[in-house]
Every structure is written in C-alpha cells, then in structure tokens.
Amino acid sequence: MPEGLKTLTRYTIEQEHRHPGSSGEFSALVNVVATATKIIANQVMRGAIVGSLGASEPDNLPPTVHRKLDAIANDIMVSETQWTGYLSSLLSEQMSVIHPVPDVHRRGKYLLAFDPLDGSSNIDVNLPVGTIFSVLRAPERARAPDSGATPDAGDFLQPGTRQVCAGFTLYGPATMLVLTTGSGVDGFTLDREIGAFVLTHPRMRIPEDTSGFAINAANERFWERPVRRYVHECLDGVDGPRGRDFNMRWVASLVADTFHILTRGGVYLYPHDARPPLRPGRVSLLYGANPIAFIVEQAGGWATTGGERVLEVPPEHVHHQVPLIFGSRNEVERIERYHSEPDEGPSFDSSLFGSRSLFRPAPH
C-alpha cells in the first residue's frame, strides 16, 4: 500500500476515538459490511465464470449454481452481518419482510437496510453495479431477546434524518466504497493486493453548479410538467434560457450515476411519472433514496422528491418508493422551484426528440 494511505479499519477507529465513550461496535459493524461487499465484489467479478449472472443464464445449470447474483449478494449481506451482535434486524430489497436477527445470536443496537445489488439488470452487459446500505438505531425494546419483544417492520419506519451511517460500494473497473457518518463523505478503493479498502477520495464535494444531467429520456411522455420544462431548457443549450450547453447521460445504475455526480457534479432525475401501474415513485426510500440523499447532502448537494426533502419523507412501509432528484444543489433547487410554481408558462407539446433529433435538424 502506498505510504500515507489510510485503511478503512484505521479510518473508522480514528472516527470513534473522536467520540469519548464509544463502544467500538459501530466501527466494527462498518468493517463487517465492508467485508460483505468485498465478497460480493468477488462474485460480481467472477459471475459469468461461476454461472450466476441471472438474465442470460443457461437453463441446464444445476440448482446450486443456477442463481442470480442479486440473490447471492443478499445472502452474503445477511450471513456476514447477522451473527455480529451489532444488529437487531435487517431489511433488504430482496426480502418482502424484515429479517430479525435469530435468537441464537445476540441482538445489537443497530438496524441495517440495504439493496444488495443495485443495477443488477446491468450485470450481463458488464456495466457497473453496486450495494447500497443504511444504518439506523434500533428501538430499545428490540435489542434484548430476553425482553420478550420481537423486532418488527415499524422499527425501520424512521425518516432519513435519523440515519447513523450510509454508504454504497461500486463494482466497476475498481471497487469503490463511499461512506458518510454525518460529517462529510469519504471514498475508499479496494486494494486487492492487501485485501483492504484504502482512503483515496477524502472529503468528496459536489459542485453547486453543473452542466450535466442524468435521466431516462425514454420515459419523457410520462413526466410531469416541471421535469419536462427543466430538461427542455437544458436541451435548448446555449440558445435557450439557460445560456449554456448541457450533457445528458444515463447509466441505469443508481450507484454509478451517484459516484459520477460526487466526482464531477451533475443532476440525477428519477422523477414522479404517470407510467402505469401508477406509483408515487420508483426508488425505494429506506435502502435507496435515503442513503443516497444522506451521502449527497453531506457532500454539499441536495436531494428532493420534487415536492419535499427526501430525508424528511415519513416512510409508510418498509418498501415505500419515492421519486428521486439529486445532485448539484443549485440545479436541484431550480427543479424544486419549477415544481412549486403555477402550472403556467411556455408549452412543451413536442417530445424531446420531436423538434430536434439525431436525424432531423432543429427548426429555424
């Protein structure tokens, strides 16, 4: 390891030393989660070799091999964390109900919510995927098996402002872990030679202004007017009301787009839309929008549903979904302002590519 680089283990221990009376459980939990993501990273890297990609798997694999990586990743997260004594229960995108820590293990004071493999549909085309996680405090009654109380789904129904920690691991050309404990955002790279995450991106900050945005343009016909207005203004470029050109990109992997915004700035939009079946949003609040919003705000950005701050949304159930718009603060606040303004102004009757496209010049 190059001289001067700091491992995640040292980093978390030093963070705890700043809080007199800390037990060491939190730093241990973070390192356990990091270990789980290292195992997942290895599975992702070897997916096609061991026959566990998912969408393009052959049907003749034996049952022990014919498994999708998102299910494998879920099992890894559960098995690597439930025995530690730091958790009361776990919540996953892959599980319809919560997973209380079994009675054979000691229950702890934290809750872990996670998406084991965000962007898993990208696996078979070798695009970046990742693991997203959020740590909350468990209610007192849910911590002691001898109390007679059983952890339940209501334990997780806390607004994002109560998160103790949030992070994600990005499985790309390098395996990156991005982490916040409420005092800034730091990024770590997995050094495979020593098997440890090392601090490579300290104090990550999102520029307040940007000239880039990420959105799935195929859903334009379902967007609400404020989003259509914002995107059209960006596409009008230097000749439009914004007076400058914008770049548009879309990876379809929340962790990949988030890391891009953390390093280069930008705006990510997965807005409310009228696509059937009608739902208020399509990003899971507890193990998707909340941890990403916590990270983004700690890096100087902003995260909104369009109508309210993501971290203040009261969860209605453990798989509650919301619209998600985040990134460079000034741009996100502009989109929020468009949502609050009266439904008046210029018309956007043509689709994104109706008046300009790769094949037709814009009208003069």
Side-chain angles (χ1 to χ4, degrees):
M1 184 176 68
E3 185 177 354
L5 290 181
K6 184 182 298 186
T7 66
L8 176 66
T9 300
R10 176 180 168 183
Y11 169 91
T12 53
I13 291 174
E14 288 181 350
Q15 290 291 313
E16 284 220 332
H17 287 170
R18 298 177 182 178
H19 304 279
S22 61
S23 64
E25 291 186 6
F26 177 71
S27 61
L29 173 60
V30 170
N31 281 282
V32 166
V33 172
T35 297
T37 66
K38 285 189 281 186
I39 298 172
I40 295 171
N42 191 55
Q43 289 290 320
V44 170
M45 182 176 64
R46 301 182 67 246
I49 298 173
V50 299
S52 59
L53 286 184
S56 59
E57 292 175 358
D59 293 328
N60 59 352
L61 290 173
T64 54
V65 175
H66 190 177
R67 303 193 60 216
K68 292 186 178 181
L69 265 176
D70 45 10
I72 295 173
N74 183 77
D75 289 350
I76 291 170
M77 287 291 287
V78 172
S79 63
E80 290 296 314
T81 60
Q82 68 175 354
W83 59 268
T84 60
Y86 309 136
L87 296 174
S88 169
S89 55
L90 301 91
L91 168 66
S92 168
E93 188 271 341
Q94 284 287 306
M95 301 185 292
S96 59
V97 296
I98 69 165
H99 177 83
V101 169
D103 290 340
V104 295
H105 303 304
R106 178 171 63 90
R107 284 197 201 129
K109 59 185 178 182
Y110 297 109
L111 304 169
L112 179 65
F114 60 93
D115 183 344
L117 204 61
D118 168 71
S120 58
S121 61
N122 288 331
I123 283 284
D124 56 351
V125 291
N126 204 29
L127 288 175
V129 295
T131 299
I132 309 173
F133 61 91
S134 169
V135 178
L136 297 160
R137 292 193 183 277
E140 287 285 347
R141 60 156 188 78
R143 301 179 188 177
D146 57 0
S147 68
T150 302
D152 60 42
D155 299 342
F156 285 91
L157 302 186
Q158 306 178 37
T161 51
R162 296 186 186 175
Q163 291 176 102
V164 177
C165 169
F168 66 83
T169 305
L170 175 65
Y171 311 119
T175 297
M176 301 287 307
L177 172 65
V178 175
L179 184 71
T180 183
T181 58
S183 56
V185 177
D186 294 299
F188 303 80
T189 302
L190 179 60
D191 185 334
R192 295 188 178 274
E193 290 188 0
I194 63 172
F197 283 105
V198 295
L199 180 63
T200 52
H201 294 66
R203 301 334 241 177
M204 302 181 80
R205 299 293 295 177
I206 299 173
E208 291 187 351
D209 295 293
T210 183
S211 292
F213 65 100
I215 194 167
N216 185 356
N219 296 324
E220 185 260 350
R221 66 192 184 279
F222 301 120
W223 296 340
E224 293 181 315
R225 176 186 168 79
V227 173
R228 290 169 60 85
R229 174 184 175 185
Y230 177 79
V231 171
H232 275 261
E233 288 182 353
C234 292
L235 291 177
D236 284 341
V238 68
D239 297 321
R242 302 303 306 278
R244 67 179 190 273
D245 292 326
F246 283 75
N247 295 316
M248 181 169 65
R249 62 190 303 277
W250 178 255
V251 180
S253 170
L254 179 56
V255 288
D257 281 315
T258 302
F259 189 76
H260 184 273
I261 288 171
L262 284 167
T263 52
R264 296 188 179 181
V267 175
Y268 174 99
L269 300 97
Y270 207 149
H272 172 84
D273 63 41
R275 186 176 13 155
L278 189 61
R279 290 180 286 177
R282 295 176 184 268
V283 180
S284 296
L285 179 62
L286 294 178
Y287 43 81
N290 271 344
I292 294 300
F294 190 19
I295 292 167
V296 166
E297 286 197 14
Q298 286 296 313
W302 193 244
T304 179
T305 65
E308 59 185 320
R309 182 189 181 198
V310 169
L311 294 181
E312 294 178 350
V313 174
E316 298 174 3
H317 53 83
V318 293
H319 296 295
H320 184 177
Q321 293 181 311
V322 295
L324 178 60
I325 300 169
F326 69 85
S328 296
R329 190 177 188 107
N330 289 343
E331 293 299 305
V332 177
E333 288 181 344
R334 173 185 288 270
I335 298 169
E336 277 190 313
R337 188 169 68 250
Y338 288 177
H339 278 82
S340 66
E341 291 177 352
D343 192 14
E344 300 172 357
S347 174
F348 304 108
D349 293 331
S350 58
S351 67
L352 280 177
F353 305 108
S355 59
R356 69 180 67 76
S357 75
L358 295 175
F359 311 104
R360 280 200 307 274
H364 297 288

Short mmCIF file of all heavy atoms in Angstrom, two decimals, residues 275-301:
data_model
loop_
_atom_site.label_atom_id
_atom_site.label_comp_id
_atom_site.label_asym_id
_atom_site.label_seq_id
_atom_site.Cartn_x
_atom_site.Cartn_y
_atom_site.Cartn_z
N ARG A 275 -46.48 6.71 -15.61
CA ARG A 275 -46.36 5.41 -16.25
C ARG A 275 -47.16 4.35 -15.48
O ARG A 275 -47.04 4.23 -14.27
CB ARG A 275 -44.88 5.03 -16.28
CG ARG A 275 -44.54 3.78 -17.02
CD ARG A 275 -43.03 3.56 -17.06
NE ARG A 275 -42.31 4.43 -16.15
CZ ARG A 275 -41.12 4.11 -15.65
NH1 ARG A 275 -40.56 2.96 -15.95
NH2 ARG A 275 -40.49 4.94 -14.85
N PRO A 276 -47.96 3.56 -16.15
CA PRO A 276 -48.70 2.51 -15.45
C PRO A 276 -47.75 1.35 -15.07
O PRO A 276 -46.78 1.09 -15.80
CB PRO A 276 -49.73 2.05 -16.48
CG PRO A 276 -49.15 2.41 -17.79
CD PRO A 276 -48.30 3.65 -17.55
N PRO A 277 -48.00 0.65 -13.94
CA PRO A 277 -49.04 1.00 -12.96
C PRO A 277 -48.64 2.25 -12.18
O PRO A 277 -47.48 2.42 -11.82
CB PRO A 277 -49.08 -0.23 -12.03
CG PRO A 277 -47.70 -0.79 -12.13
CD PRO A 277 -47.22 -0.54 -13.53
N LEU A 278 -49.60 3.11 -11.93
CA LEU A 278 -49.32 4.40 -11.32
C LEU A 278 -48.79 4.23 -9.90
O LEU A 278 -49.42 3.60 -9.06
CB LEU A 278 -50.58 5.26 -11.30
CG LEU A 278 -50.41 6.72 -10.89
CD1 LEU A 278 -49.47 7.43 -11.84
CD2 LEU A 278 -51.75 7.43 -10.85
N ARG A 279 -47.60 4.78 -9.64
CA ARG A 279 -47.00 4.75 -8.30
C ARG A 279 -46.40 6.13 -8.03
O ARG A 279 -45.97 6.81 -8.95
CB ARG A 279 -45.90 3.69 -8.22
CG ARG A 279 -46.41 2.26 -8.25
CD ARG A 279 -45.26 1.28 -8.17
NE ARG A 279 -44.53 1.22 -9.42
CZ ARG A 279 -43.42 0.48 -9.60
NH1 ARG A 279 -42.94 -0.22 -8.60
NH2 ARG A 279 -42.82 0.46 -10.76
N PRO A 280 -46.36 6.54 -6.76
CA PRO A 280 -45.79 7.86 -6.45
C PRO A 280 -44.33 7.98 -6.86
O PRO A 280 -43.87 9.06 -7.22
CB PRO A 280 -45.95 7.95 -4.93
CG PRO A 280 -47.01 6.99 -4.58
CD PRO A 280 -46.90 5.87 -5.57
N GLY A 281 -43.58 6.89 -6.80
CA GLY A 281 -42.17 6.93 -7.16
C GLY A 281 -41.68 5.54 -7.43
O GLY A 281 -42.40 4.56 -7.25
N ARG A 282 -40.41 5.43 -7.84
CA ARG A 282 -39.89 4.12 -8.20
C ARG A 282 -38.54 3.82 -7.58
O ARG A 282 -37.90 2.82 -7.94
CB ARG A 282 -39.82 4.01 -9.73
CG ARG A 282 -41.20 4.05 -10.37
CD ARG A 282 -41.17 4.04 -11.87
NE ARG A 282 -42.52 4.17 -12.40
CZ ARG A 282 -43.31 3.14 -12.69
NH1 ARG A 282 -42.89 1.91 -12.53
NH2 ARG A 282 -44.53 3.34 -13.17
N VAL A 283 -38.09 4.64 -6.63
CA VAL A 283 -36.84 4.37 -5.91
C VAL A 283 -37.20 4.05 -4.46
O VAL A 283 -37.90 4.83 -3.80
CB VAL A 283 -35.88 5.57 -5.98
CG1 VAL A 283 -34.60 5.26 -5.21
CG2 VAL A 283 -35.56 5.92 -7.43
N SER A 284 -36.74 2.94 -3.96
CA SER A 284 -37.05 2.54 -2.59
C SER A 284 -36.46 3.54 -1.61
O SER A 284 -35.27 3.88 -1.69
CB SER A 284 -36.52 1.15 -2.31
OG SER A 284 -37.17 0.20 -3.14
N LEU A 285 -37.28 4.01 -0.68
CA LEU A 285 -36.88 5.07 0.23
C LEU A 285 -35.82 4.61 1.23
O LEU A 285 -34.77 5.26 1.37
CB LEU A 285 -38.10 5.61 0.98
CG LEU A 285 -37.87 6.71 2.01
CD1 LEU A 285 -37.29 7.96 1.35
CD2 LEU A 285 -39.18 7.05 2.73
N LEU A 286 -36.07 3.52 1.94
CA LEU A 286 -35.24 3.16 3.08
C LEU A 286 -33.86 2.63 2.69
O LEU A 286 -32.88 2.86 3.42
CB LEU A 286 -35.96 2.13 3.96
CG LEU A 286 -37.23 2.65 4.64
CD1 LEU A 286 -37.90 1.54 5.44
CD2 LEU A 286 -36.91 3.83 5.55
N TYR A 287 -33.76 1.92 1.59
CA TYR A 287 -32.45 1.35 1.22
C TYR A 287 -31.97 1.85 -0.14
O TYR A 287 -31.08 1.27 -0.73
CB TYR A 287 -32.49 -0.18 1.24
CG TYR A 287 -33.74 -0.78 0.62
CD1 TYR A 287 -33.85 -0.93 -0.76
CD2 TYR A 287 -34.80 -1.19 1.42
CE1 TYR A 287 -34.98 -1.48 -1.33
CE2 TYR A 287 -35.95 -1.74 0.86
CZ TYR A 287 -36.04 -1.89 -0.51
OH TYR A 287 -37.17 -2.43 -1.07
N GLY A 288 -32.56 2.94 -0.62
CA GLY A 288 -32.12 3.55 -1.87
C GLY A 288 -32.04 5.06 -1.76
O GLY A 288 -30.96 5.65 -1.66
N ALA A 289 -33.19 5.72 -1.74
CA ALA A 289 -33.23 7.18 -1.75
C ALA A 289 -32.61 7.78 -0.48
O ALA A 289 -31.86 8.77 -0.56
CB ALA A 289 -34.66 7.66 -1.91
N ASN A 290 -32.95 7.23 0.70
CA ASN A 290 -32.42 7.82 1.94
C ASN A 290 -30.90 7.75 2.05
O ASN A 290 -30.25 8.77 2.33
CB ASN A 290 -33.08 7.18 3.16
CG ASN A 290 -34.35 7.88 3.59
OD1 ASN A 290 -34.62 9.01 3.17
ND2 ASN A 290 -35.15 7.24 4.42
N PRO A 291 -30.28 6.58 1.87
CA PRO A 291 -28.81 6.58 1.96
C PRO A 291 -28.14 7.44 0.90
O PRO A 291 -27.15 8.12 1.19
CB PRO A 291 -28.45 5.09 1.81
CG PRO A 291 -29.67 4.42 1.30
CD PRO A 291 -30.83 5.22 1.75
N ILE A 292 -28.68 7.43 -0.33
CA ILE A 292 -28.08 8.27 -1.37
C ILE A 292 -28.25 9.75 -1.01
O ILE A 292 -27.32 10.56 -1.16
CB ILE A 292 -28.71 7.96 -2.74
CG1 ILE A 292 -28.36 6.54 -3.19
CG2 ILE A 292 -28.25 8.98 -3.77
CD1 ILE A 292 -26.88 6.27 -3.34
N ALA A 293 -29.43 10.13 -0.51
CA ALA A 293 -29.67 11.53 -0.15
C ALA A 293 -28.76 11.96 0.99
O ALA A 293 -28.26 13.10 1.01
CB ALA A 293 -31.14 11.72 0.25
N PHE A 294 -28.55 11.09 1.96
CA PHE A 294 -27.65 11.40 3.09
C PHE A 294 -26.24 11.68 2.58
O PHE A 294 -25.59 12.66 2.95
CB PHE A 294 -27.67 10.23 4.07
CG PHE A 294 -27.00 10.49 5.39
CD1 PHE A 294 -26.76 11.77 5.86
CD2 PHE A 294 -26.61 9.42 6.20
CE1 PHE A 294 -26.15 11.99 7.09
CE2 PHE A 294 -26.01 9.62 7.42
CZ PHE A 294 -25.77 10.92 7.87
N ILE A 295 -25.76 10.80 1.70
CA ILE A 295 -24.42 10.98 1.12
C ILE A 295 -24.35 12.29 0.33
O ILE A 295 -23.40 13.08 0.49
CB ILE A 295 -24.08 9.78 0.22
CG1 ILE A 295 -23.91 8.51 1.07
CG2 ILE A 295 -22.82 10.05 -0.60
CD1 ILE A 295 -23.88 7.24 0.26
N VAL A 296 -25.34 12.52 -0.51
CA VAL A 296 -25.33 13.70 -1.38
C VAL A 296 -25.36 14.98 -0.55
O VAL A 296 -24.60 15.93 -0.82
CB VAL A 296 -26.52 13.64 -2.35
CG1 VAL A 296 -26.76 14.99 -3.02
CG2 VAL A 296 -26.30 12.56 -3.40
N GLU A 297 -26.20 15.04 0.46
CA GLU A 297 -26.26 16.26 1.29
C GLU A 297 -24.96 16.47 2.05
O GLU A 297 -24.49 17.60 2.20
CB GLU A 297 -27.44 16.18 2.26
CG GLU A 297 -28.79 16.38 1.59
CD GLU A 297 -29.89 16.71 2.58
OE1 GLU A 297 -29.57 17.04 3.75
OE2 GLU A 297 -31.07 16.62 2.20
N GLN A 298 -24.36 15.40 2.54
CA GLN A 298 -23.10 15.52 3.25
C GLN A 298 -21.96 15.95 2.33
O GLN A 298 -20.94 16.46 2.79
CB GLN A 298 -22.75 14.19 3.93
CG GLN A 298 -23.57 13.89 5.16
CD GLN A 298 -23.33 14.90 6.27
OE1 GLN A 298 -22.18 15.22 6.60
NE2 GLN A 298 -24.39 15.43 6.86
N ALA A 299 -22.15 15.77 1.03
CA ALA A 299 -21.14 16.22 0.05
C ALA A 299 -21.48 17.59 -0.52
O ALA A 299 -20.85 18.03 -1.49
CB ALA A 299 -21.02 15.20 -1.08
N GLY A 300 -22.48 18.26 0.05
CA GLY A 300 -22.80 19.62 -0.38
C GLY A 300 -23.88 19.70 -1.43
O GLY A 300 -24.19 20.80 -1.90
N GLY A 301 -24.47 18.57 -1.80
CA GLY A 301 -25.54 18.58 -2.78
C GLY A 301 -26.90 18.63 -2.12
O GLY A 301 -27.04 18.96 -0.94
#
